[in-house]
Amino acid sequence: MLAWIERRFGESWQVLADRLRAACLRLRGARIGSRTRIGGGCAIRRPWCLVLGERAQLEHQVHIKATSD
């Protein structure tokens, strides 16, 4: 099903999915600017320590670990 959606909607589906990941991180306490994209497979430990500006993009499979608050 997901493969069909990706073929049908292409890049716009990927943008939406990346922005939904950013919204989920905002709910977990991250301070993320507008139009920021978080790629699939990103692992962010302690998201309340994360600050990203507008239009930032984390590519797929990025691992970020903050060691202190």
Side-chain angles (χ1 to χ4, degrees), residues 1-14 16-17:
M1 177 73 174
L2 186 59
W4 177 83
I5 292 171
E6 288 179 6
R7 282 194 308 274
R8 175 94 165 110
F9 297 103
E11 180 67 23
S12 60
W13 168 254
Q14 191 62 45
L16 178 62

Side-chain angles (χ1 to χ4, degrees), residues 29-54:
R31 291 178 300 208
I32 298 176
S34 63
R35 296 188 180 186
T36 296
R37 296 175 59 180
I38 309 294
C42 287
I44 300 173
R45 307 291 181 238
R46 304 174 73 145
W48 54 90
C49 298
L50 181 66
V51 179
L52 294 173
E54 289 185 17

Side-chain angles (χ1 to χ4, degrees), residues 1 6 8 11 13 15 21-22 24-26 28 31 39 43 45 59-60 64:
M1 177 73 174
E6 288 179 6
R8 175 94 165 110
E11 180 67 23
W13 168 254
V15 170
R21 285 186 204 93
C24 288
L25 285 172
R26 280 188 198 100
R28 293 178 60 203
R31 291 178 300 208
R45 307 291 181 238
E59 294 291 336
H60 302 283
I64 296 175

